[in-house]
């Protein structure tokens, strides 16, 4: 249980949608979060690749079905 003397601290491994959404939600609750990532870019499998010539390629999702109840949509509509 959180208390003022020993506030919770959370380590999240991976900066994909799951890690980033979890970090955002915890941070909004006032919890100290550290995200550890193994790559230079954020986004995990949904990241954008920057190619020569200024081209950008989104390598992950192109379709995000609302009916799937994805965490990002639940977060977007969360009442905070
Ligand atoms: C081509 C493609 C198309 C897709 N299309 C869709 C779509 O249309 N709709 C949809 O809903 N989903 C789609 N997906 C799936 C979607 O990308 C994944 O569901 C989503 O990325 C999962 O998020 P995640 O955070 O769980 O994992 P990931 O995105 O895999 O992120 C995990 C991160 O953790 C890092 N990591 C792992 N181990 C460590 C470690 N030990 N230390 C530090 N970092 C670590 C990884 O490098 C990665 O950056 C698609 C995926 C691909 C590849």
């Amino acid at each position: 249980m959180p208390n003022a003397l020993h506030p919770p601290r959370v380590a999240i491994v991976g900066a994909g949608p799951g890690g980033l959404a979890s970090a955002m939600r915890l941070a909004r609750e006032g919890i100290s979060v550290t995200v550890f990532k193994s790559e230079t870019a954020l986004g995990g499998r949904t990241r954008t690749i920057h190619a020569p010539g200024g081209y950008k390629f989104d390598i992950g999702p192109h379709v995000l079905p609302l009916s799937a109840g994805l965490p990002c949509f639940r977060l977007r509509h969360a009442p905070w």
Side-chain angles (χ1 to χ4, degrees):
M1 178 173 240
N3 65 55
L5 291 178
H6 301 287
R9 297 166 55 207
V10 176
I12 293 176
V13 177
L20 294 175
S22 300
M24 181 180 74
R25 183 158 197 167
L26 289 166
R28 285 183 173 174
E29 294 294 327
I31 295 172
S32 174
V33 183
T34 302
V35 178
F36 294 90
K37 63 189 184 73
S38 57
E39 300 162 330
T40 55
L42 297 173
R45 280 177 283 164
T46 65
R47 70 186 176 280
T48 300
I49 292 176
H50 296 262
Y55 296 101
K56 298 177 184 176
F57 299 95
D58 294 331
I59 65 168
H62 305 282
V63 179
L64 294 171
L66 286 168
S67 59
L70 294 171
C72 56
F73 288 109
R74 287 203 299 273
L75 286 170
R76 182 181 171 87
H77 298 294
W80 49 53

